[in-house]
Amino acid sequence: MSETNILEGKKVLIVDDEPDILSVLEELLTMCKVVKATTFEEAKALLDSQKFDIAVLDIMGVEGYKLLQMTKLHHIPTLMLTAHALTPDNVVRSIKEGADSYVPKDEIGNIAAFLIDVLKAREKGINPWKPWQDRLPSSYFERKWGAAWQDTDKEFWNTFRESLKARKEKKEKAD
């Protein structure tokens, strides 16, 4: 059974102000029912009127963090996708505000894998940031921002790593 089967028929809300990005995502997610929005207002209306299995939100241009608050209220797993907001501060903010993943647009070709990671983590009751960390290791961000990219918020990253470790240990004991 292919891993993409978990995506088969899932209703995915994709919000981005760049139509070409929406088209690329739609082509990459043919196994899903893709619903697209190019503005905050359009996305808000869709969230208020339809049910979604997962959401992919751009950060800039569509007020992605405001939309994240709405997807959380609807219990929709949410992946933040960005090019212009690709900063250590936005990684931290995405985690703190409840996103399930944070993906640079230069990784868009792997979007299905990131969505699968999020859905499988939810299904298993594990932290979705562990598979994210495995898929985008620290070395990816070191190439972008330098080796000390986590130093500006050491306390957060230490707590983050400890919470992943503690949750993994708890899950292993439960199994």
Side-chain angles (χ1 to χ4, degrees):
M1 183 165 105
S2 168
E3 277 214 324
T4 57
N5 283 352
I6 195 172
L7 291 177
E8 194 69 41
K10 295 288 189 216
K11 191 170 180 182
V12 182
L13 174 63
I14 300 175
V15 186
D16 200 299
D17 61 332
E18 298 178 52
D20 58 325
I21 295 294
L22 293 173
S23 294
V24 168
L25 288 168
E26 189 171 37
E27 288 174 24
L28 292 168
L29 298 172
T30 57
M31 72 293 288
C32 301
K33 296 175 185 172
V34 173
V35 178
K36 303 179 287 187
T38 58
T39 66
F40 169 84
E41 293 78 14
E42 186 180 357
K44 181 183 181 313
L46 289 166
L47 286 166
D48 289 342
S49 64
Q50 297 184 36
K51 293 196 180 299
F52 294 94
D53 296 303
I54 196 161
V56 178
L57 307 176
D58 184 26
I59 293 174
M60 304 296 286
V62 294
E63 301 183 62
Y65 288 116
K66 281 187 181 178
L67 290 171
L68 175 59
Q69 292 171 3
M70 291 176 208
T71 60
K72 282 178 49 183
L73 287 174
H74 293 284
H75 308 288
I76 301 168
T78 304
L79 182 146
M80 305 307 279
L81 180 70
T82 191
H84 303 296
L86 187 59
T87 66
D89 290 342
N90 277 302
V91 174
V92 170
R93 184 174 178 189
S94 293
I95 293 168
K96 285 181 175 179
E97 292 195 19
D100 293 274
S101 192
Y102 175 95
V103 179
K105 282 188 180 172
D106 63 2
E107 289 289 318
I108 200 168
N110 297 317
I111 195 69
F114 284 102
L115 292 174
I116 290 167
D117 287 347
V118 167
L119 291 173
K120 286 176 94 175
R122 284 277 180 116
E123 194 175 86
K124 294 177 181 177
I126 63 172
N127 189 320
W129 289 97
K130 175 65 177 130
W132 170 84
Q133 190 175 37
D134 295 341
R135 194 167 296 281
L136 282 178
S138 188
S139 60
Y140 173 88
F141 295 108
E142 286 173 9
R143 287 191 305 274
K144 298 273 185 199
W145 304 319
W149 73 275
Q150 294 179 332
D151 288 355
T152 58
D153 205 341
K154 282 184 183 179
E155 185 178 333
F156 169 81
W157 287 108
N158 288 336
T159 302
F160 175 77
R161 282 187 285 279
E162 286 301 314
S163 72
L164 289 180
K165 183 179 171 185
R167 194 157 181 185
K168 180 183 177 192
E169 290 169 358
K170 182 179 178 183
K171 177 71 175 147
E172 287 172 354
K173 284 181 184 178
D175 293 341

